[in-house]
Amino acid sequence: DLHSFPTRRSSDLLRYGCLLVIYASSTADVFLSGVAKAPWLPLVLAGLSVAGVMIGILLRVRPFLYLGASFLTLSIVTMIYYASSELHWTWIWYVAVIALGAAIIALFALFEKKREEMVLLVQELRQWQ
């Protein structure tokens, strides 16, 4: 229908593109300025990412959830890399990998213990926009 411009598809594309530009510009600022000069920049990116995840959950929009989680992971890895390379805290990689392993085991245990509820949750997630 020509009268319904912008269409739902184009408005979704515009919304996701704007969100990606916000995340990409914040990420570029982190890498261009450097964490050593501005250690608060990865925290800003993490805050924006958590806000994106929360908005994605609230509005039931999967791309917001996925983009927010991806850039939150990037922010955390950037902070860990900075701590290991600039501060010479190599032990932080071991702690991060052990914590990731424990989180994966806990996730699988949750899936095993509450299988029906988790399957329903995944099916509901697939129905989001």
Side-chain angles (χ1 to χ4, degrees):
D1 186 42
L2 295 174
H3 300 289
S4 65
F5 187 79
T7 62
R8 178 171 169 80
R9 181 77 175 144
S10 64
S11 65
D12 286 349
L13 189 61
L14 181 66
R15 182 179 359 174
Y16 305 144
C18 290
L19 183 65
L20 189 60
V21 166
I22 291 170
Y23 285 142
S25 65
S26 298
T27 303
D29 199 22
V30 168
F31 289 119
L32 291 175
S33 297
V35 181
K37 292 181 184 175
W40 52 272
L41 286 176
L43 296 175
V44 170
L45 178 59
L48 287 172
S49 301
V50 169
V53 167
M54 292 301 153
I55 290 171
I57 291 171
L58 180 69
L59 298 177
R60 296 180 183 261
V61 178
R62 268 186 296 169
F64 281 22
L65 182 67
Y66 295 155
L67 282 173
S70 301
F71 280 94
L72 179 61
T73 302
L74 179 66
S75 174
I76 291 170
V77 169
T78 301
M79 288 186 272
I80 291 171
Y81 176 77
Y82 168 74
S84 70
S85 66
E86 297 293 323
L87 302 176
H88 305 291
W89 292 355
T90 55
W91 58 267
I92 200 161
W93 283 112
Y94 301 118
V95 172
V97 170
I98 290 169
L100 179 63
I104 290 171
I105 290 171
L107 183 67
F108 281 125
L110 188 64
F111 266 100
E112 189 62 33
K113 185 174 182 181
K114 299 185 179 213
R115 177 177 229 100
E116 295 296 324
E117 294 168 11
M118 289 293 150
V119 168
L120 289 174
L121 182 68
V122 170
Q123 287 175 351
E124 184 180 319
L125 181 65
R126 288 182 181 165
Q127 293 175 357
W128 290 6
Q129 291 182 7

